[in-house]
Amino acid sequence: VPLDIYLNVAVGGVLTGLVYGLMALGLSVIFGVVRVVNFAHGEMMTIAMYIAVTLFSVFHLDPLVMLVPIAAVLFVFGYALQAGLINRFIARPEHSQFLLLVAIAIIITNVLLILFGPDSQNVQASYAYDSFQLGKLIVDATKFYAGLTAVAVTAGLFAFFRYTSLGTAIRACADNYTGAMVVGLDVKRLYALTFAIGSACVGAAGCMLLLIFDVTPAVGPAYTLLAFVIVITGGLGSMPGALIGGVLIGLTEALAGLLFTPSAKSMFAFAILVLVLLFRPQGIMGKRAA
Amino acid sequence: MSRKPHRHGRDFTRRTVTAGLGAGVLAGLAPFNIVRAQGAALKVGVLLPRSGVQAGIGQDCQRGVDIAAGILKELGMPALQIMNGDTETNVDVARSRAEKLISDGAQILVGAFDSGQSTAIAQVAEQKGIPYVINIAAAPQITEQGYKFVFRNFPTAGMILSDAFANQKEVFEAAGSAPKTAVFMHVNDTFGTAMKGGIGTVMPKFNMPYSLVETIAYDPAARDLSVEVAKAKATGADALLMVSRLNDAILLTRELVKQRWSPMAILSMGPGWYEDQYLKTLGKLSDGPLSFVPWYDPNKPMSKTLEAALAKTHPDLNLNTNHVYTFEALLIAADAYKRAGSADPKALADGIRGTNITNNVSPGPGIQFNEKGQNDKLKLSAIQNRGGKLVTVAPKVAANAKVEWPLKPYDKRG
């Protein structure tokens, strides 16, 4: 296989991995602060993808242009979900939280099935078939735009948590729940905000992934699983870890498909997960539990 | 102290009365059931992948069910009561739905498009002794198990390959050129694996002008096929030999465009490339691929009836394999029920075994089953996508157009 093919495949894998990373970032942020594992993560992303499909088919609005409004819709959805439902389960056993979120996931899937039917849907953006050629390197335009946007959104999120007082307050909740309550922080509201931010992340990722992949109501669980693999690999609760995990999984899948057999590429992604669990259980960027 | 005298026999209680009445009613109804079945609609459990990865094709097969009622009525066939089952593109679900339909009263099963799902349904049908007519599924082993209640009016992988290679040679001859190398890409499900196994044994018999330089298997549920296409492109092969499904056929075409690779020909030996969803989703990029598939004989009167019926309900759709073979499965069920005069499973199975339908749609002499329950007289066609329509380019007896060769490069389609 010529070297340029390896390069093309690797670049494609990294770009796809960046979007995977953004999707997983939402899961990581929610777990890092609220300590609730969102088992409806992939299904929430399909909501965003279907909103983007509808806006495109009715108004011809590009998913990348609609990224901010759709992320805002998911923000509101996430806030309402946490404030209205999940906050009541925070103190309950983990299996109760698991059942609640799995139930939400099933409801989302079936509502989407009723509304949109089982057929796969996609958007045919004007640049859907474009690619950039740099010498022998051919870069898929949609993956390039999606990857670039994922980096920008992640950087914005990082800055928010690092440099704003609200972000600092949220991090305080994550670091010390009791301490945050003692200093007068409205923890439940901050939890709802965090869940909303995580949901907005997955909304943005959905807009970008729609440019690369088709959507059906049934794809949610596959994305939830993928997000788990990524955040566990990168480190549950770590923001840079989610992005690194995403890139690592994207790159592994791409190169394993080229070097070995494409039908076994997911196996290699799971092999990475197993190796991480064996030799660095806290994940690449995760902190070891005290 | 007095004792009640012991009575011989059972006490006459309300329970006895109820049991007696129940037994009487059942006994009274038993012969009535058989008589009634002759006039009543036959309960047909139609199992299709209506959701999941194959949902698009499953729903397309359903259109064949939808248009069948009117045509069967015109043919004087008995009415069918359709009981729908969704396999969710999942083998285990297919098995449990088959069991559920039978427990709900289905007297015959039809479906299920996919070889893996059909294999599972065949096992249930045989175990329960309920006839099962496969509409579409090509894995040879399904009709090699010695089943007595399983019938297939669809070619096996071996039959598909033999006819496909014969038709390919005819196309190459008509075009005046042929590829010298090809990459074989296939889905790694039951059908794809059976086709891969068959290629190794069937292809050498046909002395094809091309050799396979690479074989690439992939997951039919894959979200991204960029790596697969990159690997195929790297071989520099002249043609792509495909065994795919619908979603992956669309993904592959998109990747061919993005990776700027236009092979001389795309030769498909499975579904995907001729489906209406493929044509609509890709527009002018859908033109050109050749599909060597079980199709329909456009010259048969029943084909025209089916085309007209589909045009009435779905004017924007082309008649295709999914509609044709699903319709024919129902035709077989209705015909057998009519001749058997009973919904008794064994009588129905015997009726199907004795099928001889010549007024049909699929190419070949008609519908008959051999001792294994396989219609081994079916023939394939070579069809080509042309401006959102499908034309038959081989064999000559069923052709209505000449092949356009080679594939027009994707970057020169405006």
Side-chain angles (χ1 to χ4, degrees):
Chain A
V1 178
L3 193 64
D4 57 287
I5 297 290
Y6 285 105
L7 196 60
N8 285 332
V9 167
V11 169
V14 168
L15 292 173
T16 307
L18 285 170
V19 185
Y20 283 168
L22 178 61
M23 173 189 68
L25 190 62
L27 188 74
S28 195
V29 163
I30 291 168
F31 178 80
V33 178
V34 188
R35 295 286 155 186
V36 166
V37 182
N38 183 13
F39 286 97
H41 200 69
E43 286 74 6
M44 287 170 67
M45 194 171 76
T46 54
I47 294 178
M49 292 171 98
Y50 273 108
I51 294 172
V53 164
T54 308
L55 289 173
F56 185 84
S57 59
V58 178
F59 304 110
H60 295 287
L61 293 167
D62 190 293
L64 286 183
V65 175
M66 295 313 294
L67 187 141
V68 174
I70 290 172
V73 170
L74 264 288
F75 181 93
V76 173
F77 178 77
Y79 191 96
L81 201 63
Q82 176 72 28
L85 209 57
I86 299 171
N87 266 340
R88 298 170 195 211
F89 283 72
I90 291 290
R92 293 197 194 179
E94 283 167 352
H95 67 263
S96 292
Q97 298 171 2
F98 168 77
L99 286 175
L100 172 74
L101 286 153
V102 168
I104 291 169
I106 293 170
I107 291 168
I108 291 172
T109 301
N110 285 282
V111 168
L112 291 174
L113 204 55
I114 292 166
L115 292 177
F116 298 98
D119 287 352
S120 64
Q121 297 190 33
N122 68 319
V123 296
Q124 296 283 342
S126 55
Y127 48 85
Y129 295 98
D130 289 356
S131 52
F132 308 118
Q133 186 152 17
L134 305 161
K136 286 190 170 182
L137 180 69
I138 297 174
V139 182
D140 181 339
T142 50
K143 281 184 183 172
F144 181 73
Y145 297 144
L148 220 56
T149 315
V151 171
V153 172
T154 308
L157 201 66
F158 191 77
F160 168 78
F161 279 112
R162 192 93 185 162
Y163 302 113
T164 67
S165 55
L166 192 59
T168 309
I170 289 173
R171 282 194 292 128
C173 288
D175 285 346
N176 192 327
Y177 174 81
T178 313
M181 296 239 283
V182 167
V183 297
L185 291 176
D186 185 349
V187 175
K188 286 205 165 176
R189 190 180 74 88
L190 290 171
Y191 274 5
L193 269 175
T194 307
F195 203 95
I197 291 167
S199 304
C201 273
V202 86
C207 290
M208 287 174 250
L209 272 181
L210 188 62
L211 295 172
I212 306 171
F213 308 132
D214 291 359
V215 61
T216 69
V219 296
Y223 285 122
T224 303
L225 181 65
L226 183 65
F228 273 104
V229 172
I230 290 168
V231 294
I232 293 169
T233 303
L236 205 52
S238 161
M239 284 176 54
L243 211 59
I244 290 169
V247 171
L248 187 63
I249 295 297
L251 192 61
T252 304
E253 282 192 352
L255 288 178
L258 188 63
L259 289 167
F260 302 98
T261 173
S263 58
K265 58 188 176 186
S266 297
M267 188 181 78
F268 286 90
F270 283 107
I272 294 276
L273 175 71
V274 171
L275 288 175
V276 166
L277 287 173
L278 275 175
F279 298 108
R280 198 174 163 80
Q282 71 272 32
I284 295 168
M285 300 293 284
K287 291 175 190 162
R288 191 178 284 276
Chain B
M1 194 172 179
S2 64
R3 287 181 66 186
K4 283 182 182 176
H6 179 74
R7 277 183 286 180
H8 292 282
R10 298 176 65 185
D11 289 349
F12 191 77
T13 62
R14 276 182 302 175
R15 194 172 292 171
T16 314
V17 174
T18 313
L21 275 173
V25 169
L26 279 174
L29 283 181
F32 174 70
N33 262 343
I34 295 167
V35 174
R36 192 183 60 152
Q38 291 173 355
L42 180 69
K43 292 179 179 175
V44 185
V46 179
L47 288 146
L48 293 170
R50 294 179 164 89
S51 58
V53 180
Q54 295 170 357
I57 296 181
Q59 297 207 344
D60 205 30
C61 289
Q62 179 63 36
R63 293 181 186 116
V65 177
D66 297 341
I67 57 176
I71 300 173
L72 294 179
K73 195 176 175 185
E74 279 176 24
L75 292 172
M77 294 290 175
L80 304 179
Q81 182 188 330
I82 303 297
M83 301 166 72
N84 291 320
D86 179 10
T87 65
E88 299 175 16
T89 320
N90 181 306
V91 172
D92 294 327
V93 175
R95 183 179 287 113
S96 63
R97 291 287 187 275
E99 285 170 347
K100 177 80 168 55
L101 282 173
I102 292 170
S103 70
D104 287 349
Q107 292 157 324
I108 187 169
L109 298 178
V110 162
F113 174 74
D114 173 88
S115 289
Q117 294 159 50
S118 298
T119 303
I121 297 165
Q123 288 163 356
V124 173
E126 192 66 18
Q127 189 188 13
K128 305 270 183 187
I130 294 290
Y132 171 38
V133 182
I134 295 168
N135 65 337
I136 299 172
Q141 58 268 32
I142 303 175
T143 44
E144 296 294 334
Q145 309 291 325
Y147 290 155
K148 303 289 177 217
F149 289 88
V150 179
F151 303 90
R152 170 163 54 186
N153 178 47
F154 196 79
T156 61
M159 291 164 69
I160 290 175
L161 288 166
S162 296
D163 266 18
F165 288 130
N167 284 335
Q168 279 180 25
K169 288 183 93 169
E170 194 177 317
V171 166
F172 300 154
E173 197 182 323
S177 74
K180 289 185 171 55
T181 53
V183 177
F184 177 43
M185 295 181 78
H186 70 91
V187 284
N188 63 1
D189 60 13
T190 312
F191 169 57
T193 311
M195 291 290 277
K196 185 202 170 218
I199 276 193
T201 51
V202 179
M203 196 173 153
K205 295 176 189 168
F206 284 84
N207 191 25
M208 297 304 288
Y210 59 80
S211 58
L212 296 181
V213 291
E214 179 81 83
T215 298
I216 301 170
Y218 62 88
D219 181 358
R223 296 181 297 268
D224 182 11
L225 293 172
S226 55
V227 177
E228 287 80 348
V229 172
K231 202 169 182 175
K233 183 185 174 186
T235 65
D238 294 336
L240 263 179
L241 191 64
M242 295 299 317
V243 173
S244 54
R245 301 292 188 183
L246 173 58
N247 289 354
D248 49 313
I250 295 171
L251 286 176
L252 283 165
T253 309
R254 283 189 190 141
E255 282 304 325
L256 288 172
V257 179
K258 286 178 183 179
Q259 296 191 25
R260 306 181 184 197
W261 184 37
S262 297
M264 176 192 276
I266 296 169
L267 312 167
S268 167
M269 299 187 293
W273 301 81
Y274 57 78
E275 318 277 350
D276 277 292
Q277 199 179 330
Y278 179 87
L279 303 174
K280 281 191 183 132
T281 304
L282 295 167
K284 61 192 170 193
L285 296 173
S286 70
D287 280 355
L290 286 154
S291 297
F292 300 86
V293 286
W295 196 238
Y296 64 94
D297 185 341
N299 304 317
K300 287 191 176 182
M302 185 58 79
S303 300
K304 296 185 197 310
T305 307
L306 208 59
E307 276 178 329
L310 186 74
K312 204 171 172 183
T313 52
H314 300 285
D316 52 337
L317 296 184
N318 298 298
L319 187 67
N320 68 26
T321 305
N322 304 326
H323 314 133
V324 168
Y325 288 87
T326 307
F327 165 76
E328 285 200 341
L330 294 176
L331 176 65
I332 292 161
D335 174 70
Y337 182 43
K338 188 180 180 183
R339 284 182 291 103
S342 164
D344 173 68
K346 195 171 176 311
L348 266 180
D350 288 340
I352 297 170
R353 208 165 283 117
T355 300
N356 185 14
I357 302 172
T358 50
N359 183 20
N360 73 323
V361 194
S362 53
I367 307 172
Q368 296 111 35
F369 295 101
N370 63 15
E371 67 286 356
K372 293 177 179 173
Q374 172 68 43
N375 180 0
D376 52 8
K377 306 277 193 301
L378 281 163
K379 291 286 168 197
L380 263 69
S381 302
I383 54 170
Q384 188 169 37
N385 304 356
R386 227 42 101 65
K389 298 283 175 196
L390 298 154
V391 293
T392 305
V393 295
K396 275 175 196 159
V397 285
N400 57 6
K402 284 185 179 173
V403 66
E404 277 187 2
W405 186 272
L407 183 81
K408 189 172 182 182
Y410 289 116
D411 57 349
K412 292 189 170 61
R413 299 191 184 201

